[in-house]
Amino acid sequence: MTKVIDINNVSYTYKNSKENSLKNISLSVNQGETVLLCGESGSGKTSILRLINGLIPHYYQGEMSGEVTELHNFCFSYHGTKYLFKVKDEYLQLNIPYLEVPQSKIIAVVGENGAGKSTLLKSICGLQKINKAYIELDGKIYRRKGLVDITYLVMQDVNHQLFTESVETEILLSKVDCSDDDVKRIMEVFNLTALKDKHPMALSGGQKQRVAIASALVSNAKILCFDEPTSGLDYAHMVNVANTLIDLKRRGKTIFVSTHDSELIELCADYRLVVNNGQVTLGNL
C-alpha cells in the first residue's frame, strides 16, 4: 500500500513553552486507512493533526526535531457535487412564538445537525437580528441589546472568542463581580493553573474549550449558553463541566447547553429542549 503520512521520531515545543507538546512521535499511515487519535485533553492530539497538515512548524512557531513527510496539493472532489451541502435562509429561522423556561435550571438543547440549536443560542444571547424577539426575566424585558449584557455564549469553535496573550488574561477579561479566589478555584477545576502564562492559540482543542468555559464562569451573566461544550473534552473533563454547570445552577444561573453528549445530559440536565426545523418542544428528563 502507498504510504501517505510518515512521521519519524518527531518532538515539538511551542514557542514560550517549557514542555514538549510532542515527544519522539512516530506514525505511518497508508492510503485508505482511517486512524483514530485517542488521549486525554492536552495530550497532543491536536498538535499531531497540526503536524500532519503543515501548521506545525510553518504556522505555529516553536522548536522541532525529527522528520515528517508532508502532502501538497492533495485534492479530492465528489463528482457532480459543487457544494458539500447548501443552507437556505428558511432552514435557519426560528419559529418560537412563546416558550416558558424555568429559571436556575440546566436545559439540554438537542436536535439533529442543522435543526437550529446554535441559532437558538445566538438568539438568546442577542447575536441574531430578530426584531420582535425578547426575553422576560424577573419581570423585566430584555431585547437584543439588553440580552448581550445578561448572557454569555461559549461557541462551538472557541477560536473565535480567544483574544489575549495568556490564559489567565483571557479568563480575567470576562471577570465581573467574581472574587480572585473564585477565579483561582475555576482555573484549578479545569486544570488551567499550569497553563496560565501560555498563549491560548498554542493550546490543544480541549484546553481552548476549557479556557472558554472558565471565561464564561467568571462573568456575571444571568443566562449562560454553551454550544457543544464537551466536544473536545475527555470523560474526566466532561464530568468537571457537568459538576460546574450544577454548581452554577445552584448559584441561580439559567443554563442552555446544546449537545449531542447523552452522558452530559444524564449527569446534569433538568430539561430537554428538542429543536426540529426551528420549532421547539420542552420536556422533563
Side-chain angles (χ1 to χ4, degrees):
M1 298 182 68
T2 304
K3 186 181 295 185
V4 294
I5 297 172
D6 192 15
I7 301 173
N8 294 313
N9 199 32
V10 170
S11 296
Y12 182 79
T13 303
Y14 286 99
K15 184 179 180 180
N16 298 327
S17 177
K18 297 180 180 179
E19 299 180 358
N20 287 338
S21 295
L22 299 175
K23 187 175 182 180
N24 301 327
I25 295 293
S26 294
L27 174 67
S28 294
V29 180
N30 293 321
Q31 185 175 355
E33 289 184 334
T34 300
V35 178
L36 176 65
L37 298 179
C38 302
E40 295 183 355
S41 296
S43 60
K45 303 186 297 298
T46 301
S47 294
I48 290 177
L49 295 181
R50 290 171 177 171
L51 182 68
I52 291 172
N53 66 19
L55 291 175
I56 290 178
H58 302 301
Y59 180 80
Y60 292 98
Q61 298 181 357
E63 297 182 4
M64 176 178 149
S65 62
E67 298 178 351
V68 180
T69 300
E70 300 178 357
L71 302 180
H72 296 271
N73 299 320
F74 193 76
C75 302
F76 178 81
S77 175
Y78 288 100
H79 294 292
T81 304
K82 186 175 181 180
Y83 302 103
L84 181 58
F85 53 82
K86 293 183 179 180
V87 178
K88 295 183 180 180
D89 290 342
E90 57 264 30
Y91 295 156
L92 295 178
Q93 291 177 347
L94 296 174
N95 184 15
I96 310 174
Y98 177 78
L99 176 65
E100 186 173 320
V101 178
Q103 290 189 40
S104 304
K105 298 295 182 181
I106 301 173
I107 298 95
V109 182
V110 301
E112 296 181 357
N113 291 331
K117 301 188 299 297
S118 296
T119 304
L120 174 60
L121 297 188
K122 291 177 182 178
S123 300
I124 291 172
C125 294
L127 301 178
Q128 292 285 112
K129 189 175 182 180
I130 305 177
N131 293 330
K132 297 181 180 180
Y134 67 89
I135 290 178
E136 184 174 346
L137 181 64
D138 296 328
K140 186 175 180 180
I141 292 178
Y142 296 89
R143 299 190 185 275
R144 186 184 175 196
K145 292 183 179 179
L147 289 173
V148 175
D149 296 328
I150 65 166
T151 60
Y152 193 104
L153 172 65
V154 176
M155 300 178 183
Q156 185 172 2
D157 186 354
V158 296
N159 291 301
H160 294 313
Q161 57 187 132
L162 300 176
F163 306 105
T164 67
E165 299 296 320
S166 72
V167 168
E168 184 175 35
T169 306
E170 188 69 44
I171 294 172
L172 292 176
L173 187 66
S174 303
K175 179 183 173 184
V176 178
D177 295 335
C178 183
S179 69
D180 292 339
D181 288 339
D182 282 340
V183 173
K184 290 180 181 179
R185 180 183 61 82
I186 290 170
M187 292 183 68
E188 289 173 357
V189 166
F190 288 98
N191 294 334
L192 295 172
T193 304
L195 305 174
K196 67 177 184 177
D197 296 323
K198 284 195 172 184
H199 196 292
M201 298 309 293
L203 302 179
S204 71
Q207 289 170 335
K208 290 178 183 177
Q209 190 83 340
R210 281 146 52 194
V211 171
I213 294 173
S215 298
L217 302 188
V218 302
S219 72
N220 196 32
K222 296 180 180 181
I223 300 174
L224 300 175
C225 295
F226 297 87
D227 196 354
E228 298 286 352
T230 59
S231 60
L233 303 184
D234 54 40
Y235 181 79
H237 286 108
M238 184 273 290
V239 173
N240 284 342
V241 170
N243 290 335
T244 301
L245 295 180
I246 292 172
D247 181 57
L248 286 169
K249 177 182 72 172
R250 291 170 181 161
R251 298 185 183 202
K253 306 293 185 182
T254 301
I255 302 161
F256 292 86
V257 185
S258 171
T259 184
H260 293 284
D261 193 335
S262 59
E263 292 177 310
L264 178 67
I265 295 173
E266 184 177 351
L267 284 172
C268 68
D270 300 300
Y271 294 88
R272 187 193 306 269
L273 184 65
V274 180
V275 184
N276 184 19
N277 290 328
Q279 298 181 332
V280 298
T281 305
L282 181 68
N284 292 313
L285 285 171

